[in-house]
Amino acid sequence: MKGKLVRTEGHLANIIPIHLDASFFFERAVRSLDRNHVDKALKYFRKAVEYEPENPVNHCNMAGILSEKGDYKASNAILAHVLDVVDPSMTECYFYMANNYANMDQFEEAERALVTYLEEDTQGQFMTEAEEMMELLYYELDRPAKLNRIKSRQGVVEHDQARELLEEGKFAQAAELLEGMSPDYPDYLAARNNLALAYYYMGLFSKAKETIADVLEQEPGNLHALCNLAIFYQNENRTDQVLLLIKKLRAIVPFQHEQVYKLATTMGILGQHDAAYIHFRRLLKGEETATDPALAHYAAVAAFNTERYDIAKRLWHHVNKLDPGSEVARYYLDGLEAVIQGVQEPSKLSYHYHLPFDEQFKQWEDYGNGIPEEMKNDPLIRSSFFWALRHGDQATKLQVIHALGIIGDYEVQQALQLFIDEPGEEPALVKAAQAVLHDLQRVEHPELNAEVSQPLTPKAEALKTVPKVSKKEITGIRLGKETSPHWQAVVDRALQMSEARAELQQEMERIWTDYVSRVRPDLSGSKQIEGWAAGLEYLASKNRSRPVTYQSIAERYGISASTVSKYARQLNQICSVTPPNG
């Protein structure tokens, strides 16, 4: 713009007029922020709002500066004005408000704002941050948020919940959740594939195959569906169809971890052990998967099945180091040695990270009714039981029925009821299943039998069946044969980092002793030790009313605040420590 000559008191002056508008003040505000002049920036944003009151961006910028200055209440007032008057579609304002409420320790209000953001926002710009905040609020409020859906991830939440249920061996619950998703998300093929797996693990092959057919009709090249279909065909002894699918699958070289894993396990199940070995070894080279004991076991099985005995031996020793509390590697190493010595004929091993079915029964018989919860809840053990209930011989089915009676949860009751309703089963087996189911229902509903005592809560039941470890055993952990040195390392690390007084030291030792006696965790890495120690210090400090925050703990341990929250929450769930909010 050229200057204009004007006369001022007899003089000529070169004047450049300034056009004052919202853009002018916005630029001045940004320049002030760059120079860390926060008060000036706030003043300029206020002027920008005056010139363009209908522009929500400047309102939000002003709210952001007020939040930085610690005036969270004023910041939220502006954000509420944006949502009520200026632009109700600015759903990210709910996320900003949740942050402000959390900084004011108003966790109920923070939760409401955050839930509204997740349920109304379509873009998911702050999804990662929102999930981390949700985890913090879970601990502060000592309960999960009442979140019905995440709009930016339609169907993803339900699918993730279903996947967790599958991983926990809760196949009937996973199927129910995925069935409910199907009408709303007909194109969500990953959910349909997992529904087929849920049916498969429950032994409902016809429903599993129908579901896979639906997926392949929409996407003929879907790798997960092709793998599942090949396994279904193998179960039906449809050799020609299996061979055609094997030829197609052997030509595929996927790069995504999940697809490589799926293809590797499928090829193993189909007896293509050479291909399975190649894919499993590819996965073991990955940084994130190199320390997975189950994956190393699968690679060992593939090596054994292709007569690479030296490699199999090295891999099972590696499994034993990664998972020292498991008996799986030791069992297979003994079998491998018998094969090498010529004492035992080699036979193909299955791709499951648990003991063979007969060996599981021996262990269950040894444990009796005191079976540890982690064994009851092992999804591979549970799926093998459900499988055998459907497809085993009569003697095996009878064993499974009695074993399931020990587990006795919702999944078991569903499986037993399906077995009873199945036409063509042996009357004696149906009668045994009815008896077990009846006993389980009497315990769950004592009004059905006056002689049945009040049932224990799930937590009390877990404490009844898991063998306790005395405090003496925990504090003297280095001397015990069956205890992990990492357990003591956790409390040692917490004591070292906290430099705590005697009272807090005792509280940390008390909580950790209580937790280990109930859960007996297997800690395999230094990162886990740091996480447990940080969570332990936070929980003990809160329980003793000492001022502490996730962030302050996280900074000292060199981990994230969400990690501190994660481990503190796990401790609190088992030990029922309920610290004050703060």
Side-chain angles (χ1 to χ4, degrees):
M1 178 184 296
K2 292 184 178 181
K4 181 181 179 182
L5 291 176
V6 296
R7 184 178 297 276
T8 307
E9 297 182 357
H11 299 283
L12 292 175
N14 191 10
I15 303 298
I16 301 176
I18 296 175
H19 182 59
L20 300 179
D21 60 7
S23 297
F24 172 82
F25 289 108
F26 176 85
E27 291 172 5
R28 290 292 191 278
V30 172
R31 194 178 304 168
S32 297
L33 282 177
D34 289 340
R35 296 171 180 172
N36 205 28
H37 298 160
V38 178
D39 290 331
K40 274 191 175 182
L42 179 60
K43 182 178 70 174
Y44 285 130
F45 276 130
R46 287 190 193 278
K47 293 296 292 182
V49 166
E50 288 179 13
Y51 276 90
E52 284 186 2
E54 73 286 353
N55 186 342
V57 174
N58 289 322
H59 287 274
C60 290
N61 286 328
M62 191 164 60
I65 292 179
L66 287 168
S67 182
E68 278 193 34
K69 288 170 62 67
D71 195 348
Y72 306 116
K73 188 174 181 180
S75 177
N76 272 357
I78 292 173
L79 294 168
H81 175 74
V82 172
L83 289 167
D84 294 339
V85 178
V86 182
D87 187 355
S89 69
M90 291 279 290
T91 48
E92 59 264 42
C93 290
Y94 291 111
F95 175 74
Y96 303 143
M97 293 174 76
N99 272 283
N100 286 333
Y101 281 129
N103 283 318
M104 291 188 287
D105 288 347
Q106 297 179 17
F107 300 115
E108 295 276 359
E109 290 82 355
E111 181 189 54
R112 278 195 289 272
L114 191 60
V115 166
T116 303
Y117 167 73
L118 291 170
E119 291 187 343
E120 299 299 329
D121 184 73
T122 58
Q123 302 301 317
Q125 179 183 356
F126 301 107
M127 183 57 58
T128 302
E129 295 87 347
E131 288 175 344
E132 186 169 308
M133 191 189 300
M134 189 66 76
E135 189 172 342
L136 296 176
L137 292 175
Y138 183 116
Y139 182 72
E140 294 291 353
L141 297 173
D142 198 26
R143 57 168 174 74
K146 296 176 182 178
L147 179 63
N148 297 316
R149 64 193 172 95
I150 296 180
K151 193 167 186 177
S152 65
R153 299 174 63 196
Q154 289 188 348
V156 175
V157 174
E158 297 91 334
H159 184 227
D160 287 347
Q161 291 173 349
R163 288 183 63 175
E164 288 179 9
L165 290 169
L166 283 174
E167 290 170 1
E168 294 168 6
K170 299 174 181 178
F171 308 119
Q173 292 183 51
E176 288 178 4
L177 184 56
L178 291 166
E179 285 169 345
M181 284 180 60
S182 296
D184 296 326
Y185 310 105
D187 299 327
Y188 202 156
L189 300 186
R192 302 289 292 168
N193 275 325
N194 279 319
L195 177 58
L197 284 178
Y199 288 147
Y200 174 77
Y201 289 135
M202 294 163 67
L204 304 174
F205 293 150
S206 59
K207 294 184 75 172
K209 198 165 62 175
E210 289 172 9
T211 306
I212 288 301
D214 291 341
V215 173
L216 290 173
E217 185 176 345
Q218 294 183 64
E219 188 180 300
N222 187 286
L223 178 62
H224 284 263
L226 290 171
C227 288
N228 291 338
L229 185 61
I231 294 171
F232 298 163
Y233 280 155
Q234 180 171 267
N235 288 328
E236 296 175 343
N237 295 317
R238 297 174 63 175
T239 308
D240 292 342
Q241 287 86 345
V242 173
L243 290 175
L244 286 172
L245 283 170
I246 286 175
K247 185 177 180 180
K248 182 180 291 189
L249 292 173
R250 289 185 75 96
I252 297 174
V253 184
F255 291 97
Q256 293 182 9
H257 167 270
E258 188 176 355
Q259 291 188 337
V260 178
Y261 185 87
K262 179 69 175 182
L263 185 57
T265 53
T266 301
M267 297 306 274
I269 293 169
L270 296 174
Q272 304 298 302
H273 306 296
D274 57 335
Y277 175 77
I278 292 170
H279 291 306
F280 281 130
R281 290 309 298 256
R282 282 180 61 199
L283 289 170
L284 282 176
K285 293 177 182 178
E287 185 178 342
E288 295 182 0
T289 53
T291 57
D292 184 346
L295 183 58
H297 169 72
Y298 302 150
V301 169
F304 179 90
N305 288 341
T306 53
E307 299 184 5
R308 296 175 168 94
Y309 295 143
D310 289 342
I311 296 174
K313 188 174 184 178
R314 288 201 302 271
L315 285 167
W316 271 316
H317 277 299
H318 184 54
V319 173
N320 206 27
K321 290 179 182 178
L322 294 174
D323 192 5
S326 172
E327 298 181 21
V328 174
R330 290 191 291 274
Y331 174 86
Y332 284 103
L333 280 169
D334 290 343
L336 174 61
E337 192 62 32
V339 170
I340 293 173
Q341 298 296 329
V343 178
Q344 181 178 309
E345 287 293 321
S347 59
K348 300 300 182 186
L349 302 179
S350 64
Y351 291 83
H352 292 294
Y353 187 50
H354 58 65
L355 297 175
F357 196 67
D358 292 341
E359 193 67 25
Q360 290 174 30
F361 271 123
K362 289 179 185 177
Q363 287 202 0
W364 280 55
E365 289 168 0
D366 292 340
Y367 276 108
N369 287 332
I371 297 170
E373 289 297 300
E374 60 268 22
M375 187 176 290
K376 289 183 182 181
N377 295 326
D378 188 319
L380 294 174
I381 291 177
R382 292 165 69 95
S383 65
S384 65
F385 282 174
F386 293 155
W387 179 288
L389 184 62
R390 285 272 175 180
H391 308 288
D393 57 30
Q394 187 166 352
T396 300
K397 286 183 177 182
L398 188 59
Q399 282 183 304
V400 168
I401 288 169
H402 291 300
L404 292 177
I406 298 173
I407 302 176
D409 59 15
Y410 173 82
E411 295 288 325
V412 163
Q413 295 184 39
Q414 290 284 94
L416 289 173
Q417 189 61 60
L418 286 170
F419 178 79
I420 291 167
D421 295 339
E422 186 71 24
E425 289 291 351
E426 289 288 332
L429 293 175
V430 172
K431 187 175 181 181
Q434 287 173 330
V436 169
L437 183 60
H438 180 63
D439 288 342
L440 293 175
Q441 291 172 339
R442 283 195 310 168
V443 173
E444 191 170 309
H445 303 285
E447 66 274 10
L448 300 177
N449 187 336
E451 296 180 1
V452 177
S453 61
Q454 183 68 22
L456 295 171
T457 63
K459 184 172 182 178
E461 184 66 33
L463 297 183
K464 184 185 79 171
T465 57
V466 177
K468 287 261 186 174
V469 179
S470 68
K471 183 172 182 178
K472 182 179 179 182
E473 289 177 277
I474 299 299
T475 54
I477 234 153
R478 295 182 183 86
L479 303 178
K481 293 181 180 179
E482 298 180 356
T483 52
S484 165
H486 294 306
W487 292 349
Q488 182 65 34
V490 168
V491 75
D492 286 348
R493 182 62 171 161
L495 294 173
Q496 174 193 4
M497 293 295 290
S498 65
E499 299 179 353
R501 296 176 182 175
E503 181 183 86
L504 186 58
Q505 289 182 357
Q506 292 173 3
E507 183 68 7
M508 288 193 292
E509 289 177 347
R510 182 191 69 77
I511 294 172
W512 189 240
T513 298
D514 189 22
Y515 183 80
V516 173
S517 71
R518 301 183 187 190
V519 177
R520 302 172 70 88
D522 172 36
L523 309 181
S524 56
S526 59
K527 289 184 178 179
Q528 284 184 306
I529 292 172
E530 291 292 304
W532 282 115
L536 180 61
E537 182 185 341
Y538 179 88
L539 195 62
S541 299
K542 280 291 190 180
N543 206 37
R544 290 294 176 180
S545 300
R546 292 170 65 94
V548 68
T549 64
Y550 293 122
Q551 192 60 43
S552 65
I553 295 280
E555 288 173 358
R556 279 197 288 108
Y557 282 83
I559 57 180
S560 68
S562 62
T563 299
V564 180
S565 169
K566 169 188 171 183
Y567 285 102
R569 180 156 52 86
Q570 289 185 48
L571 287 166
N572 190 47
Q573 285 174 337
I574 297 299
C575 301
S576 294
V577 180
T578 309
N581 285 338

